[in-house]
């Protein structure tokens, strides 16, 4: 009897751990080969199918659901009004033919921090649902990455609108159609929109009015075709865009079909296969500044395109190895044939590289400090050192840029070997080359020097804060803070106004914290988190 009682006690304790160990009221998590879901702090069930668990946690909506695991989605996820999905940077893979996430009806719908590999159809589709908020959503593959419209089949008809759509820091790659498409939206805002290798448009706005957009960065969208990196069609109006970067797209910027009052403050349009910037029978559409090294043309009243014809100013990048964390470095060597090295994070120009397009996705990689180019030197043995040489047209200096898992691999056109960090972690170590491999030693990040220099310095010196996540960046009431590991010491949270005045301070000891900012007035604020001698900084906007 005593053994039986002890066994029952252990079962109760284990079941209680399943029910109480999680941090959220509504959540999904994995244990072994089972996915569990909880609503209102009570475990409701488990299934070997992740989609079943997510749908169970969503229920009828009107709740915040935290998905604490990734996996394969065997069925379409039906979103419900009043739903917020916190995906905690987990990755989902779709193995069915319907939409990935879908709603037809009213919002609000919010989705944060999700990576989604889509095999076919649309990744996220919302129809007749306003108040849509997407932040840090990455979608790879499928047809349209995200489509937000006012009706599933007739969004073009008069009187059909949805409102209040915000898309923040979202990424679309290898979509066979558009990265992001809207149709029938009144009130659109989008910031940090990136689209790579999409079959049609990077970002397409249809019948969308009253919009504010930060940056659209499109690369090789509809190369050789008629769609554009950024396109406004079907009577878009009253939209302001800070910057459009469109490289190797069919068209760079295309505004057409009765659109009006479109202002693009800066354009950088390079190497498009059709007209770089085209305003076709529209009214009061303007590009205020920038460059376009391909043709541009405007027809209609009140239109102007004020750009230079040469985009000669190079964008320089830090090139960081995924495995070692070291950066590609010219080492100040100016002699033809000298070795190329690696170095820890530095702002020196020896660690800055320009990618010069050679067509067919090949690039010459030029060091800002030495002026020499990364060169395979004709070496074909695994582990050979990569060299540097003055500019030439030889294939030894041409590198194919291959996107993989959010990083890039660089394959030499002459030798077929890949640039490789070789697992070296010492400053000044050589950079090698290796045959085709999936190892992270051959994967590299491209980090824009002009926009991330100060952030990189913070990231290197503040290793204790490198995994902190603060979201959403546009806050209504609750700010979420997550740490990547258990806190070994108390963290201090400080929030400053745009004038530098401390308006909020709190000590944090949990790995997940919710901070109520409802008492703060609307405006821009700066978040500072201190852990020992390490500092994390971020900007938020209070609505």
């Amino acid at each position: 009897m005593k053994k039986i009682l002890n066994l029952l006690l252990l079962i109760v304790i284990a079941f209680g751990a399943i029910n109480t160990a999680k941090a959220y009221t509504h959540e999904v998590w994995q244990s072994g080969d089972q996915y569990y879901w909880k609503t209102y702090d009570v475990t409701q069930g488990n299934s070997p199918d992740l989609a079943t668990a997510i749908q169970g946690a969503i229920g009828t909506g009107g709740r915040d659901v935290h998905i604490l695991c990734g996996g394969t989605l065997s069925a379409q996820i039906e979103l419900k009004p009043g739903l917020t999905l916190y995906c905690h940077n987990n990755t989902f893979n779709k193995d069915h033919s319907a939409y990935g996430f879908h709603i037809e009806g009213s919002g609000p719908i919010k989705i944060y921090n999700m990576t989604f590999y889509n095999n076919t159809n649309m990744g996220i589709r919302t129809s007749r649902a306003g108040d849509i908020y997407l932040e840090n959503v990455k979608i790879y593959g499928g047809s349209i990455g995200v489509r937000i419209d006012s009706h599933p089949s007739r969004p073009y008809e008069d009187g059909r609108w949805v409102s209040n759509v915000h898309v923040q820091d979202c990424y679309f790659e290898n979509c066979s159609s558009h990265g992001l498409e809207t149709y029938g939206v009144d009130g659109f805002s989008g910031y940090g929109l990136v689209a790579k290798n999409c079959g049609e448009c990077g970002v397409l706005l249809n019948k969308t009015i009253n919009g504010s957009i930060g940056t659209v960065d499109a690369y090789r969208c509809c190369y050789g075709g008629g769609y554009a990196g950024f396109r406004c069609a079907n009577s878009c109006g009253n939209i302001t865009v800070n910057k459009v970067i469109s490289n190797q797209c069919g068209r760079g910027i295309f505004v057409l079909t009765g659109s009006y009052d479109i202002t693009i403050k800066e354009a950088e349009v390079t190497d498009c296969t059709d007209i770089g910037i085209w305003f076709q029978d529209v009214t009061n559409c303007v590009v205020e500044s920038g460059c376009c090294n391909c043709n541009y043309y405007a027809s209609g009243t009140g239109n102007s395109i004020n750009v230079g014809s040469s985009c000669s100013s190079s964008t320089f990048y830090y090139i960081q190895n995924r495995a070692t964390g070291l950066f590609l470095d010219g080492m100040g060597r100016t002699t033809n044939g000298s070795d190329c090295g690696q170095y820890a994070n530095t702002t020196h120009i020896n660690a800055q590289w320009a990618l010069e397009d050679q067509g067919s996705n090949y690039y010459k990689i030029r060091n800002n400090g030495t002026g020499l180019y990364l060169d395979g030197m004709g070496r074909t043995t695994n582990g050979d050192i990569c060299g540097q040489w003055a500019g030439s047209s030889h294939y030894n200096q041409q590198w194919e840029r291959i996107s993989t898992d959010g990083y890039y691999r660089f394959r030499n056109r002459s030798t077929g070997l890949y640039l490789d960090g070789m697992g070296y972690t010492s400053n000044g170590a050589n950079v090698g080359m290796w045959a085709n491999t999936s190892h992270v030693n051959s994967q590299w990040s491209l980090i824009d020097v002009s926009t991330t220099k100060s952030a990189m310095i913070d990231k290197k010196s503040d290793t204790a804060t490198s995994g902190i996540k603060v979201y959403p960046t546009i806050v209504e009431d609750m700010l979420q803070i997550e740490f990547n590991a258990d806190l070994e010491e108390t963290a201090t949270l400080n929030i400053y106004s745009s004038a530098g005045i401390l308006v909020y301070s709190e000590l944090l000891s949990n790995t997940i914290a919710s901070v109520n900012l409802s008492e703060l007035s609307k405006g821009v604020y700066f978040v500072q988190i201190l852990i020992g001698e390490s500092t994390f900084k971020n900007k938020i906007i209070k609505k």
Side-chain angles (χ1 to χ4, degrees):
M1 177 63 74
K2 184 176 181 180
K3 290 182 179 180
I4 294 174
L5 290 175
N6 287 338
L7 178 61
L8 290 174
L9 179 61
L10 289 172
I11 293 172
V12 170
I13 291 172
F15 185 75
I18 292 175
N19 268 293
T20 62
K22 306 302 175 180
Y24 304 103
T25 304
H26 312 282
E27 63 186 11
V28 175
W29 71 97
Q30 183 179 12
S31 180
D33 62 354
Q34 294 292 306
Y35 296 97
Y36 293 81
W37 68 95
K38 181 176 71 171
T39 61
Y40 300 103
D41 283 323
V42 177
T43 299
Q44 302 294 338
N46 61 283
S47 170
D49 180 60
L50 177 57
T52 298
I54 293 174
Q55 205 67 65
I58 289 172
T60 58
R63 63 190 63 169
D64 295 352
V65 174
H66 292 259
I67 305 176
L68 306 179
C69 56
T72 298
L73 298 180
S74 64
Q76 176 174 289
I77 301 299
E78 288 295 339
L79 307 172
K80 300 295 182 180
L83 175 69
T84 298
L85 286 183
Y86 294 101
C87 298
H88 295 268
N89 291 304
N90 284 302
T91 298
F92 307 109
N93 300 281
K94 192 184 82 172
D95 68 352
H96 59 88
S97 61
Y99 303 132
F101 297 80
H102 172 259
I103 186 172
E104 182 180 347
S106 60
I109 297 292
K110 299 179 181 180
I111 301 177
Y112 295 96
N113 302 322
M114 177 181 75
T115 298
F116 185 60
Y117 284 89
N118 189 16
N119 61 345
T120 186
N121 216 317
M122 302 182 195
I124 299 175
R125 173 75 186 274
T126 72
S127 296
R128 297 192 297 124
D131 299 308
I132 303 297
Y133 189 105
L134 307 177
E135 183 174 325
N136 191 28
V137 171
K138 301 178 179 69
I139 297 180
Y140 299 84
S143 58
I144 298 175
V146 172
R147 175 170 165 128
I148 299 168
D149 55 56
S150 58
H151 191 278
S153 60
R154 300 192 302 278
Y156 51 84
E157 291 182 351
D158 290 341
R160 297 191 183 277
W161 298 95
V162 293
S163 61
N164 193 24
V165 172
H166 184 92
V167 184
Q168 174 89 32
D169 297 329
C170 290
Y171 181 94
F172 311 96
E173 184 170 350
N174 293 329
C175 301
S176 63
S177 185
H178 315 300
L180 168 67
E181 181 183 17
T182 66
Y183 213 132
V185 175
D186 181 355
F188 173 82
S189 58
Y191 298 90
L193 307 179
V194 180
K196 306 289 185 184
N197 299 308
C198 291
E200 297 179 328
C201 290
V203 174
L204 169 58
L205 307 184
N206 289 303
K207 191 187 167 187
T208 296
I209 60 175
N210 301 321
S212 175
I213 299 175
T215 299
V216 174
D217 185 351
Y219 169 75
R220 216 170 174 81
C221 293
C222 199
Y223 186 79
Y227 281 104
F230 176 66
R231 169 170 155 150
C232 295
N234 298 301
S235 300
C236 288
N238 190 29
I239 294 171
T240 299
V241 185
N242 287 339
K243 186 172 184 177
V244 175
I245 302 168
S246 193
N247 179 25
Q248 296 186 53
C249 296
R251 293 166 179 157
I253 300 170
F254 193 20
V255 183
L256 68 159
T257 322
S259 295
Y260 59 94
D261 295 337
I262 309 292
T263 299
I264 298 171
K265 294 183 178 181
E266 183 181 1
E268 184 180 311
V269 177
T270 53
D271 304 326
C272 293
T273 54
D274 205 310
I275 297 175
I277 304 174
W278 189 0
F279 293 162
Q280 182 182 33
D281 299 324
V282 294
T283 305
N284 296 328
C285 295
V286 178
V287 175
E288 294 182 342
S289 65
C291 63
C292 177
N293 71 0
C294 28
N295 296 328
Y296 51 91
Y297 175 76
S299 65
T301 303
N303 302 310
S304 62
I305 300 174
N306 304 305
V307 296
S309 59
S310 174
C311 299
S312 58
S313 59
S314 296
T315 298
F316 287 96
Y317 297 92
Y318 299 112
I319 303 178
Q320 184 182 27
N321 189 262
R322 183 177 185 180
T324 68
L326 298 186
F327 292 78
L328 194 67
D329 199 292
M331 305 298 295
R333 298 163 181 162
T334 58
T335 303
N336 282 341
S338 58
D339 296 338
C340 184
Q342 304 176 73
Y343 220 88
N345 183 28
T346 172
T347 59
H348 199 280
I349 57 175
N350 285 338
Q352 299 177 12
W353 301 82
L355 273 62
E356 299 178 359
D357 184 21
Q358 304 300 298
S360 300
N361 205 31
Y362 285 96
Y363 295 86
K364 295 172 65 175
I365 305 176
R366 175 171 57 85
N367 188 261
N368 193 19
T370 68
L372 299 186
Y373 289 79
L374 201 66
D375 198 296
M377 307 293 294
R379 298 164 179 164
T380 58
T381 303
N382 283 342
D384 277 343
I385 299 170
C386 186
Q388 305 175 77
W389 204 276
S392 76
S393 59
H394 200 284
Y395 279 2
N396 280 338
Q397 291 187 1
Q398 297 188 25
W399 301 81
E400 183 180 9
R401 185 175 71 176
I402 302 168
S403 178
T404 177
D405 194 25
Y407 293 84
Y408 293 100
R409 303 167 68 213
F410 294 95
R411 184 178 69 86
N412 190 264
R413 191 169 189 173
S414 175
T415 69
L417 298 187
Y418 291 75
L419 192 68
D420 198 293
M422 307 292 294
Y424 299 145
T425 57
S426 300
N427 283 339
N430 291 325
V431 173
M433 297 177 290
W434 204 274
N436 186 23
T437 172
S438 61
H439 199 280
V440 290
N441 280 338
S442 68
Q443 298 181 22
W444 304 81
S445 294
L446 289 178
I447 307 169
D448 191 328
V449 170
S450 63
T451 59
T452 62
K453 186 181 297 183
S454 61
M456 284 177 58
I457 296 170
D458 287 344
K459 188 181 293 183
K460 184 64 183 179
S461 60
D462 294 342
T463 55
T465 59
S466 61
I468 292 177
K469 302 178 182 68
V470 174
Y471 57 91
T473 55
I474 298 181
V475 185
E476 293 182 358
D477 292 315
M478 302 303 296
L479 181 70
Q480 303 292 328
I481 299 173
E482 293 184 17
F483 299 87
N484 66 337
D486 291 337
L487 288 172
E488 296 181 358
E489 56 185 307
T490 300
T492 301
L493 168 67
N494 295 321
I495 299 179
Y496 296 87
S497 71
S498 57
I501 300 171
L502 182 64
V503 296
Y504 186 94
S505 185
E506 182 181 351
L507 295 179
L508 305 177
S509 57
N510 296 321
T511 57
I512 301 170
S514 297
V515 182
N516 190 339
L517 302 182
S518 60
E519 298 298 320
L520 295 184
S521 58
K522 296 180 180 179
V524 175
Y525 294 87
F526 296 93
V527 175
Q528 178 193 69
I529 298 174
L530 305 174
I531 303 177
E533 296 181 356
S534 297
T535 304
F536 172 92
K537 299 176 183 178
N538 197 27
K539 183 176 75 173
I540 61 173
I541 299 172
K542 176 68 169 62
K543 291 184 66 174

